[in-house]
Amino acid sequence: MWKKFEEKYESILDSNLLNKILWMNGITSKEKYEELLSNDYFPFDINVEGFINKIDYILENNKRVVVVGDYDVDGVCATSIMVKFLNSLNIDTKWILPNRFIDGYGLKRPLVDKAFNLGCDVIITVDNGIKSKDAIAYAKEKGIDVLVTDHHQPDLDNIPNDVEIINPHYQNEHLKFKEICGASVAYICARNYYLRTNKGNEKLLLEMEELTSIATIADVMPLYKGNRKMIKKFIRRVKTNSIYNLGLLSLLEVAKVNVKSFNSEDMGYIIGPMLNAPGRLKTADIGVELFLSKNEEIAKENAKLCYEFNQMRKDETHSLKSQVEINSEDLVHVVKFENANEGLIGIIAGDITEETGRPSFVFTKTHSGNYKGSGRSPLNYNLIEGADRVLKNHPELTLGYGGHSGAMGITLVDEDSVRRFQILMNADYNKQSVKEMDRNYIFFHKEKDSFEKICNEMQTLEPFGEGLMQPIFQTFGFPNFIKDLGKGSAFSLATDSGKYLNFARFREKVDKGFQVIYFTLKKELYNEKTYFKGYVEDMSLYKKPK
C-alpha cells in the first residue's frame, strides 16, 4: 500500500528532500549517516593466512586446481576473479559451474567427480562451499584437497572438516564490516596474496575490482562502508571510459548503455540480468567465458549471447506472467505451472510479491512429477520461519527446502501437496497477525517541483542501492503523447506553464485518463545534452476518495 512520507524528522543535511530520503531508509541521525555513508572501511583484513599458505603449497608442488563457482552473477564474477588470479601465477587451472537444473547450488558429489576426471589435485570453491560438508568429505576420500572461499552464513554445527575456510562470517570476529559478496572474498584473497608476495599488477587488480563491483550490486549487498566506496569508483571509471575487462566493455557496448549517465540502477537492471540470463535458461559458463575473453571478437560474441538470452528470458517471463491469476483475498499467493522454466519461477515470485506486498510461491512440475518452487516475501513476514512452522507438522508434503527470511527454494511431493501447502501457509500468515507494509513516497507537485532540481540534489546521496534506496515520488495527471515501447509506453505530463515532464513505463502499457503515478527519477546524457525522466513503478486511474 502506498503511503505519503509525513514523519517528523531531524535535520541531518541542509536539504528537506535529502533528509526525507535518509529517514525513509532508516538513517535517522548524523551518526548513522556518518557510519553508513562516510566510512570507507572494507574488510581487507579478513584472515587469509590459510589461503596464502595453500597457494604457496600449490605452486611449490605443481598441483592442478579446479575452481568451483555458482550460476548467479556473484558466482560468475567470483569464478572469473579466481581463475584470473591463478592464471597470473601460471597455475594449471580449470573451472566448473554447476548447472541450475541438474546440479543445483553448491559443491556436491557429482561436481567433485567432474573435478576428479579433470585431474584435479585441489578444488577452490568461490561463492559456495561453507555448507558442503558431505561433498568436501567425499573429495578428501578421492584424494582431492579443498580450499573454501565463501560469504554465506555458516552453520557452526556443520562446518566442513580439515579444510581452509576463508569467509568473513567465520573466525573473523575482529571485522567491523562483513556484508560482502563472494566475488569480494575472491578479490580480497587475490589482492592480499599479491601484496604479500609483490606479484600481480594494477591493471589485473582493477579488472578484479570491476567484476567485484558488478557482483556487489547484483547480489544486493548493502551500499555502505567499503562497498559504497568501491561502487562510486566503478561508476566514475565507467563514465570516463576507464574499464579494463574486455568482456565487460563488450557487455556495455552490446547493451547500448549510456556510459555518461551510468549509475547503480544500470548495474542492477541492465548488466546484472544480462549476466544472470544464460544460467537461468541454459548455462552460466557464458558469463565466465565473457570475462576471461582476451580476444575482442570472442568477447563480443559472448556479450551478444548474454543479451540474446536476456531477451529470451524477458519474453518467457512475460508469457508466464500473463498466465498468472492473483486472488486478492489470498494472504500468501501460490501459483502453479505445469511446464515452466525452473530458472524463471523466482523472478515471477519476486514480481508478484513486489506488486502485491505479500509472500508468494511459484511452482512448476518436474519430470519426476514433483513440484519445484521458489518463494519470496516482503520484510514483514519471515518466509523460512513460516515454512518451518508449517512443514514441521507436515513433513510429508516436501522433499526438501531451504533459504532465508526473504527468499527460499522448496520441492513439494505432488499437486495435492501444493494445494495443502497453500492452505497451511495462508493459515500461518493469518495466525502471525502480520501488519501490511506501506511503501513510502514523496509527493511531487508538478507545478512547483522540478525534475532537474531534485535529480541534482539527490546526487549528494548517490549511488543508491541496498541500504539507501532511491525514493519513489507520486504525482497526478493526464498522459499525453503516448508512444509504444513494446511491452510498455513512453508519455508526458503537461504543466500549467506549458512544460512537459517525460516518463517511461516498461512493464505495462499506459492507459488514457487522469492517472496517479509513482516513479523514480534519473538524469540522462545524450549527445552532450542533459535530460530528466521519470521511470514508472506503478500507476492507475485516479479514484476519488469516498
Side-chain angles (χ1 to χ4, degrees), residues 78-293:
T79 301
S80 303
I81 289 167
M82 189 60 71
V83 171
K84 280 179 174 292
F85 165 71
L86 296 170
N87 285 343
S88 75
L89 301 176
N90 295 316
I91 292 173
D92 185 342
T93 304
K94 295 180 175 63
W95 54 272
I96 298 172
L97 298 186
N99 184 288
R100 181 189 293 267
F101 311 106
I102 299 170
D103 305 306
Y105 168 77
L107 182 66
K108 293 187 174 71
R109 291 189 176 214
L111 295 182
V112 172
D113 289 334
K114 286 183 182 180
F116 180 81
N117 292 334
L118 290 171
C120 173
D121 299 309
V122 181
I123 288 174
I124 298 179
T125 70
V126 291
D127 191 33
N128 75 95
I130 195 69
K131 295 184 179 180
S132 299
K133 185 175 181 178
D134 174 72
I136 289 171
Y138 179 64
K140 292 276 190 179
E141 290 173 10
K142 298 182 80 70
I144 300 174
D145 200 357
V146 181
L147 170 61
V148 173
T149 77
D150 199 354
H151 73 119
H152 294 97
Q153 288 281 355
D155 176 358
L156 296 178
D157 296 325
N158 202 31
I159 293 291
N161 298 321
D162 302 320
V163 293
E164 298 293 347
I165 298 172
I166 314 300
N167 186 319
H169 300 286
Y170 181 68
Q171 295 184 345
N172 278 291
E173 291 77 12
H174 65 286
L175 292 179
K176 302 173 187 176
F177 178 60
K178 302 180 181 183
E179 302 307 314
I180 59 173
C181 63
S184 287
V185 178
Y187 165 59
I188 290 169
C189 286
R191 175 188 178 276
N192 286 4
Y193 186 86
Y194 287 149
L195 288 175
R196 184 75 65 87
T197 60
N198 292 317
K199 296 179 180 178
N201 59 71
E202 184 181 1
K203 178 180 177 294
L204 185 55
L205 278 171
L206 283 171
E207 273 198 68
M208 293 178 180
E209 196 175 289
E210 291 164 7
L211 304 190
T212 303
S213 298
I214 294 292
T216 295
I217 292 290
D219 221 44
V220 202
M221 292 294 107
L223 286 196
Y224 53 86
K225 300 191 178 180
N227 286 343
R228 183 174 184 81
K229 180 182 179 182
M230 178 173 59
I231 299 303
K232 288 180 78 170
K233 178 182 175 183
F234 175 74
I235 291 171
R236 186 168 61 249
R237 291 184 57 222
V238 171
K239 287 182 174 180
T240 56
N241 295 308
S242 304
I243 295 299
Y244 285 118
N245 185 270
L246 196 57
L248 182 53
L249 283 169
S250 298
L251 207 61
L252 292 167
E253 182 182 338
V254 168
K256 297 180 180 177
V257 170
N258 184 347
V259 296
K260 291 188 177 180
S261 56
F262 186 80
N263 62 17
S264 55
E265 283 74 35
D266 294 325
M267 297 168 71
Y269 293 110
I270 299 177
I271 302 303
M274 285 175 66
L275 288 169
N276 247 330
R280 290 188 180 279
L281 298 182
K282 189 176 182 183
T283 171
D285 289 8
I286 294 167
V288 177
E289 289 164 0
L290 171 74
F291 288 139
L292 296 180
S293 299

Side-chain angles (χ1 to χ4, degrees), residues 318-467:
H318 183 75
S319 173
L320 289 170
K321 279 195 69 180
S322 68
Q323 303 171 41
V324 172
E325 294 183 5
I326 296 297
N327 182 350
S328 61
E329 300 299 316
D330 284 343
L331 301 175
V332 177
H333 300 292
V334 175
V335 174
K336 175 172 60 69
F337 291 105
E338 291 302 308
N339 190 30
N341 186 314
E342 292 176 17
L344 303 180
I345 56 178
I347 295 175
I348 297 168
D351 285 347
I352 293 171
T353 291
E354 183 179 341
E355 291 166 11
T356 64
R358 289 182 176 173
S360 65
F361 287 87
V362 178
F363 291 92
T364 185
K365 191 174 184 179
T366 67
H367 295 300
S368 58
N370 310 128
Y371 281 81
K372 190 169 185 178
S374 186
R376 297 292 185 272
S377 179
L379 294 173
N380 60 347
Y381 181 75
N382 190 309
L383 200 62
I384 195 70
E385 289 181 2
D388 281 339
R389 287 189 293 268
V390 165
L391 297 171
K392 181 181 179 180
N393 295 321
H394 299 276
E396 74 280 1
L397 298 181
T398 182
L399 298 177
Y401 67 97
H404 51 80
S405 62
M408 65 176 289
I410 182 170
T411 301
L412 297 182
V413 173
D414 53 23
E415 187 173 7
D416 187 59
S417 299
V418 176
R419 181 188 62 79
R420 291 173 60 198
F421 181 73
Q422 179 175 13
I423 294 169
L424 292 165
M425 287 299 295
N426 271 271
D428 181 80
Y429 187 97
N430 188 49
K431 189 176 180 181
Q432 303 308 312
S433 301
V434 179
K435 291 183 179 179
E436 295 293 316
M437 283 191 70
D438 293 321
R439 293 187 70 184
N440 286 316
Y441 65 83
I442 298 171
F443 180 67
F444 177 90
H445 196 301
K446 67 179 191 290
E447 307 302 334
K448 297 178 181 178
D449 295 324
S450 157
F451 277 13
E452 180 176 359
K453 183 176 182 295
I454 288 176
C455 282
N456 289 337
E457 264 193 88
M458 290 197 306
Q459 283 183 322
T460 302
L461 298 181
E462 290 180 350
F464 291 104
E466 188 69 13

